[in-house]
Each structure stands twice: as structure tokens, then as C-alpha cells.
Amino acid sequence: MTISPVSILSARFDVEDAHLLAVAREQGAYATLDTLFDMTPDDVTEEVKNSGLRGRGGAGFPAGIKWSFLPKDTGKPVYLTVNADESEPATFKDRYIIVRDPHLLIEGIIICCYAIGCHDAYIYIRGEYTSQYEILRSAVEEAYAAGYLGESVAGHDFSLQLTIHRGAGAYICGEETALLESIEGKKGQPRSKPPFPAVVGLYGCPTIINNVQTIASLPYILANGAAAYRAYGTEKSPGTHLFGISGHVERPGMYELPLGLPLLGVIDEVAGGVWRGRGLKAVIPGGSSTPVLTAEEAATVTLDYESMAAHKTMFGSGGIVVLDETVDMVRVVENLIQFYHHESCGQCTPCREGLGWMEKLVRKLLAGEGSHADIDLLLELCDNIEMKTVCVLSAACTMPVRSYLVKFRHEFEACVTEHSAAAQPAQNLEAAP
Amino acid sequence: MSDRSQLLDAGRPFAFDETREAEFTRLEPRYPERDSLIMPALWLVQEQQGWISREAMEYVAERTGAYHAQVFELATFYTMYHLRPPGKHHICICRTLSCYLREKQLLVDWLAANLDLVPGAVTEDGRFSLEEVECLGHCGSAPVVQVDGVFYEDMDEEKLGALIEDLRSEAI
């Protein structure tokens, strides 16, 4: 079979200066506003539900259903916060939308806000995205000047204010309740749920949090209908996705593809295959938090939510990382644990201390000072940290780490046996933080 | 920069200049609660002064009506706020997975060998500072380096050397 990219979300990505309103409009931006206000908000929600669009931040929750969790007539304002805190290692899709077609995002925001009855929306963009922020800000200013935002959106009786809020270097703010805390002027420490943000969210008001790519998918659905969107992908994973392919491939980059394609086919035909003529060792399917697939498992998986679940991993954020045969899995695990330990917000002890403990154990193995018991201890720590914290950051570390420990245990064992002359008896107490 | 344990005094009071004042005033009506202005205000301080001194944090507390402690808390929690002056050019090298796999360590080693610059430090002449940071979201063009906010993609030692040379030849 031949796999070729499609252009639903990325239709204007290669148009020069599509970040400028005049160019974007010439290419069809904001066209859905001509008919949007003839529909009722419930009709819009229904169309999105029918499209089967799932949240593209990583969790894959159906977007239209999420919207319908908003309580009616609370007397409080409803907020939309767009999650542009894209920080999951291997994920860089939202940046493409922000830079190449920010008006697609703004159009999507207008559609969503009309559907959920929101008049104040926020985009939370990670602080590291500097020039990206400037492009987005100019686009928002142009949209205000053209009357797409403000007191009367496109001349209709609907007001919408849109504010960009910059983060300042915290992965955890991509967790939706930490994001809300951050906008409220607090440390990014996640809240206990329930209550869920749809009921008690930003400033204590009903709030919808959607990923950039989810929102950017709305104009196509509105313009072409749910059935047209469903023509792509599979029944349970409809539509297209921006896949970011990185690591050891010949042509790393961003590719829009329908869901449901075979992973290896995509790596070979779209990304040019494993680099330097090397063999494939493993693939991280959807961002660093998703359990790793061996080359053998990668051969049977397809890029959709169900197939990933059947392979005991997750679809995640569409950030695919290819690992060639030379990769030292113990060093990969060290790299990942260091990331999550650094990004722990510090609120929950198992995460704050436990991830640091795991980091020390892996370093001990790499230094040739570890024992077989340390490998078991790492697995035990995974069990004792996971789901024992307010949010899933710790699980985002332990789930993949466990997968490397189980599937590539021999590499961890080799750290012990190769240094057997120098090996110390297990001294787990000393490894405690 | 990496040491986030202490607040430093600039030895002079802080106030927004005209540009920053205008931006702060633009933002004020966009939030229903004034605490939301603390992070944007800290960004404005850093834009104006290059880093965030204790005096500037107290100024932000005054302007937003927040307790000093709350401003200190945010400034220390969010790692992009500089709590001490960085070099004239601040270099961030992404250390996370995709950049690691595409050999970012060669770049770190190059800076150590050629500028005697290690992560967390500032060169003696104050021109460059270096920080190893977590995923910068440019994994498809790894390894990536960010200097003074500008991204440089698909980097190697040669390109890094040329970039440093360009920055060096700028008038001080």
C-alpha cells in the first residue's frame, strides 16, 4: 500500500504568509462564520459529537461529549481555555498550527465558544514558544481589528474576548487543572478531581479545556459536516491527526495522516525509514509518556486509539519516536526519569521523592554499581508511585519506565553483570533519598 | 538560571518603563482577578531588565495587590524566570529524548571545550550563559538550541560554532 499525507488541518500550512489574516481569508479562513450563527449552539455540539472528534491533547476523550458536561444556567460565566502548553516530549504538532495557521485556531475557538456559550476565552501557551507567541498575538490582534473577535463577532449578536496567557517553563501546566491554577496566578499544582473543570474550573466557573489541535479540527467539521470528517480514519478513531515523527528516522518532521494506518508503514514510507541503514529496536508511539513498543509489536500496531490500547500502550499525542538498534535503553530511561522528576510540581510525596529515588537507582545501574535487586526495586517503585498522586504526572513516568524494564530487562541486567567484578551487594537503603 | 534558591537584590528600585506600563494596562481588564496579572507582570519585568530582582518582585506585588510571598512563589516555581542576571546571550540546549537521540551532547561538549561554558554557568566576560532545558517542542528538527528566545534547528557543532561567532562579533 502507498501511504500519503492528507490536508485537512494542514491545508494552509504550505501557503506563504498564511499566518496573516488577508492571506488566510483568501484561502477560506473564517468562512464557517457565514453559517455558524444560523445554527443553534446545540446543533454545533451535535455535529461535533457526530464527527467523533476525540481530544487531541493525549487522552482522546470525545470533544462534543466533554462540552455537554457543562451545567446549564448556573448564572456564572463559562470559560474556554485552549491548551497550547505543548510540552510532552516528542510532541510539536500544536506549534505547527500556531505558526502556520493561527487563524484556523481562532476560527475554531469562535465555533467552540458559540457552542458552549463562552464569551471569554484564554489560550495558555508555553513560555518557551517565543516567536510562536508573537505570531499568535499578531493573529489575535488582526482578528480583533477585523471584527472576528470583540463585542460583535463577524457582525453577529455574539461577543467574544480572547486573551493569550504565557506559561513560564512548567510541563505540569499542560495538566488541565494545573493550567487553570496557573492562569489564576498560582503555582501549577493540579487540583483533586472531582469536581471536574466543566463544573468548577477557571475562577470557580464552568470551564472547557481543549487542546489546540482539537479546536483547530472544528472548522473543517463545520464546513464539511461530520460525515466528511468520518470519511477519514476508523470508526472509533475518526479523522486525521498531525503526527510528529522524531528520533532515528531519515525524514523526521510533521505529517498529517488519517488515523488507522500501520505504524511501520508510516515510519518507512512517510518518514523515510530508520536512519543510517540501521535496524529498528523500538518505537514510542505517542509522546514520552506512552509505553514503548518493541520492533515486533510495532509491526502489528496501527495508529489509532483501539489498536494502541490492544497493544497495552496509548495513542497519546501523536509524537512518534523511533529508536534504532544502537540505543541504550537504560540511558533512555535515565533521560525520561530525569525529565519527569524535574517537572514534578512537588505537591505529592510519591511523585516528588519517588521519581528522584528512581533516577538515583538508574544512575547507580549506569555507574556499574547496581544490583539485580535494584531492578526489582525500580519495578516496585513504579507500582507504589502510580495512581497514588493527585494527577497522572507520576504515572506518565512509571507506565513507560515499567515497559522498558519489562521489555528490555536484559539491558538493565547487563549493567549489573558487565560490572560484576565491581558489583556491590544490594544497598537499597542507601539509595533512598 | 539554574540556582533558584535565592532572591537577589539589584540594589535599585524597579518600575515599568512606558512600553511595559502600556502592556500591563492593556492586560488589566482581561482578567477578572488581579492575581492572574502576576505571571504576565513577571514576564514584563524580565523583558525590561533581563532578570527578576527582589525589588522587581516587590513592585509586581504592589501593582497586582498580591502578597510578596505569592510573587516570590511564582517567580521561583516557573523555571523560565531568571532569578539572577544571565549572560548577554542566553543559550538553552534541549536535553530531552529526541534531542538526546539526535546527539545534543555534542553541542554541550562543544561549548565546554570552546567557551569553557557548562550548564548553569555564565562565561567570565558575561557574554554567554548556558542552560540545559527540558523538551522545547522542536523534536522533528532535533537537536534544537534556543538563544535569546530564537530557535535554531537541526543543529550540529559546525552550525553552533558559526552561530557563536556571529554573536561574538556583535558590538558589545
Side-chain angles (χ1 to χ4, degrees):
Chain A
M1 88 189 265
T2 308
I3 296 172
S4 39
V6 292
S7 302
I8 302 304
L9 283 155
S10 57
R12 290 192 290 264
F13 279 13
D14 292 328
V15 176
E16 196 177 345
D17 289 335
H19 63 285
L20 302 176
L21 177 61
V23 178
R25 200 158 41 184
E26 221 168 75
Q27 301 282 331
Y30 298 107
T32 56
L33 302 191
D34 296 341
T35 51
L36 175 71
F37 295 96
D38 297 335
M39 300 170 75
T40 67
D42 285 346
D43 288 343
V44 178
T45 304
E46 206 51 38
E47 195 68 27
V48 174
K49 271 189 196 168
N50 291 340
S51 77
L53 174 67
R54 297 174 67 158
R56 301 300 197 210
F61 194 82
I65 294 178
K66 191 178 199 177
W67 298 355
S68 61
F69 290 156
L70 284 171
K72 301 270 183 227
D73 306 321
T74 60
K76 291 178 180 175
V78 172
Y79 291 109
L80 168 71
T81 59
V82 178
N83 190 343
D85 190 58
E86 179 164 75
S87 311
E88 167 83 357
T91 310
F92 49 102
K93 61 190 176 65
D94 298 338
R95 173 169 61 84
Y96 271 72
I97 296 169
I98 290 165
V99 171
R100 306 273 182 110
D101 199 0
H103 291 287
L104 180 70
L105 176 62
I106 298 170
E107 185 177 351
I109 288 170
I110 296 167
I111 294 168
C112 176
C113 287
Y114 178 68
I116 65 174
C118 163
H119 303 285
D120 268 299
Y122 294 87
I123 301 173
Y124 187 96
I125 185 169
R126 64 180 305 197
E128 290 86 347
Y129 281 178
T130 47
S131 53
Q132 296 82 3
Y133 164 74
E134 295 299 336
I135 290 170
L136 185 57
R137 181 169 167 177
S138 299
V140 169
E141 280 169 8
E142 277 202 286
Y144 264 106
Y148 292 123
L149 295 170
E151 285 311 312
S152 168
V153 172
H156 295 274
D157 184 22
F158 184 79
S159 76
L160 176 58
Q161 305 297 329
L162 176 59
T163 305
I164 310 172
H165 193 90
R166 291 186 71 196
Y171 168 73
I172 190 58
C173 290
E175 196 279 344
E176 56 182 18
T177 59
L179 185 154
L180 299 179
E181 290 283 298
S182 188
I183 296 180
E184 290 182 7
K186 299 172 199 153
K187 289 183 289 188
Q189 294 194 323
R191 300 173 183 172
S192 284
K193 295 185 272 194
F196 289 92
V199 181
V200 182
L202 188 61
Y203 306 116
C205 299
T207 301
I208 290 297
I209 301 144
N210 276 150
N211 171 262
V212 166
Q213 193 190 331
T214 314
I215 294 289
S217 301
L218 299 174
Y220 182 89
I221 294 168
L222 264 278
N224 300 282
Y229 189 71
R230 279 190 170 278
Y232 296 93
T234 69
E235 196 201 331
K236 287 181 177 168
S237 301
T240 68
H241 202 288
L242 296 176
F243 289 97
I245 308 181
S246 67
H248 295 158
V249 288
E250 287 292 346
R251 290 195 299 274
M254 179 60 54
Y255 304 96
E256 183 177 11
L257 301 166
L259 280 82
L261 294 173
L263 175 60
L264 279 196
V266 167
I267 290 171
D268 286 340
E269 293 183 35
V270 179
V274 182
W275 75 346
R276 298 178 181 172
R278 291 182 188 159
L280 178 70
K281 176 179 270 192
V283 183
I284 301 170
S288 65
S289 304
T290 57
V292 71
L293 296 169
T294 62
E296 198 181 19
E297 290 168 325
T300 54
V301 78
T302 51
L303 290 169
D304 54 79
Y305 297 94
E306 289 66 41
S307 179
M308 290 294 173
H311 285 73
K312 297 193 167 46
T313 185
M314 288 176 298
F315 181 82
S317 63
I320 298 167
V321 189
V322 174
L323 308 176
D324 77 20
E325 60 193 347
T326 69
V327 171
D328 178 343
M329 290 308 219
V330 188
R331 296 222 173 260
V332 167
V333 165
E334 180 203 21
N335 190 284
L336 289 180
I337 299 179
Q338 185 183 334
F339 172 82
Y340 291 100
H341 181 219
H342 182 265
E343 298 301 332
S344 173
C345 78
Q347 184 174 209
C348 308
T349 311
C351 175
R352 184 188 64 237
E353 305 299 328
L355 300 185
W357 189 359
M358 288 172 67
E359 190 179 339
K360 282 183 188 173
L361 284 169
V362 173
R363 297 233 160 100
K364 195 176 157 198
L365 286 166
L366 283 166
E369 293 162 2
S371 65
H372 295 287
D374 288 328
I375 302 170
D376 291 327
L377 180 58
L378 274 168
L379 280 166
E380 194 184 321
L381 280 169
C382 288
D383 294 341
N384 284 325
I385 292 168
E386 202 165 301
M387 308 316 278
K388 307 221 171 23
T389 50
V390 166
C391 82
V392 294
L393 183 141
S394 63
C397 181
T398 55
M399 287 188 306
V401 166
R402 185 188 291 109
S403 73
Y404 294 91
L405 286 165
V406 171
K407 295 177 186 179
F408 297 94
R409 182 161 178 133
H410 56 282
E411 295 197 25
F412 293 82
E413 298 282 354
C415 285
V416 178
T417 49
E418 279 168 20
H419 293 86
S420 57
Q424 303 290 313
Q427 293 178 317
N428 296 335
L429 289 172
E430 286 192 7
Chain B
M1 297 292 293
S2 39
D3 182 1
R4 315 196 59 76
S5 60
Q6 264 186 321
L7 310 185
L8 289 192
D9 289 357
R12 56 179 186 277
F14 180 90
F16 285 144
D17 59 19
E18 210 176 304
T19 317
R20 271 33 94 161
E21 185 64 41
E23 177 63 5
F24 186 76
T25 311
R26 183 186 78 84
L27 288 170
E28 275 181 308
R30 310 304 285 267
Y31 298 101
E33 291 181 10
R34 290 189 67 81
D35 283 357
S36 294
L37 291 161
I38 301 171
M39 285 184 74
L42 288 172
W43 272 122
L44 292 173
V45 170
Q46 184 152 309
E47 212 179 276
Q48 182 177 324
Q49 187 176 257
W51 66 292
I52 302 171
S53 56
R54 190 183 51 77
E55 293 94 330
M57 291 184 207
E58 287 170 3
Y59 174 78
V60 167
E62 261 169 54
R63 295 299 305 271
T64 57
Y67 289 113
H68 289 181
Q70 191 177 349
V71 178
F72 296 166
E73 188 176 75
L74 293 200
T76 54
F77 181 86
Y78 293 99
T79 54
M80 286 187 75
Y81 293 132
H82 295 314
L83 304 185
R84 55 206 60 240
K88 180 164 178 273
H89 299 293
H90 186 59
I91 306 167
C92 295
I93 296 183
C94 176
R95 62 154 297 279
T96 319
L97 192 62
S98 299
C99 285
Y100 160 76
L101 292 170
R102 307 277 297 202
E103 303 174 331
K104 64 87 192 167
Q105 192 58 38
L106 298 175
L107 307 175
V108 177
D109 293 346
W110 190 92
L111 289 173
N114 290 277
L115 290 184
D116 198 18
L117 180 59
V118 295
V122 185
T123 52
E124 255 177 50
D125 60 6
R127 279 225 182 146
F128 298 102
S129 50
L130 172 64
E131 199 174 358
E132 272 198 279
V133 295
E134 299 298 346
C135 188
L136 286 173
H138 284 63
C139 321
S141 45
V144 67
V145 176
Q146 196 179 23
V147 183
D148 306 331
V150 180
F151 286 98
Y152 299 89
E153 303 174 61
D154 290 312
M155 287 300 276
D156 56 30
E157 293 146 290
E158 201 179 318
K159 288 185 194 168
L160 181 61
L163 172 62
I164 295 292
E165 219 33 66
D166 281 354
L167 296 169
R168 246 193 196 145
S169 61
E170 280 178 14
I172 298 179

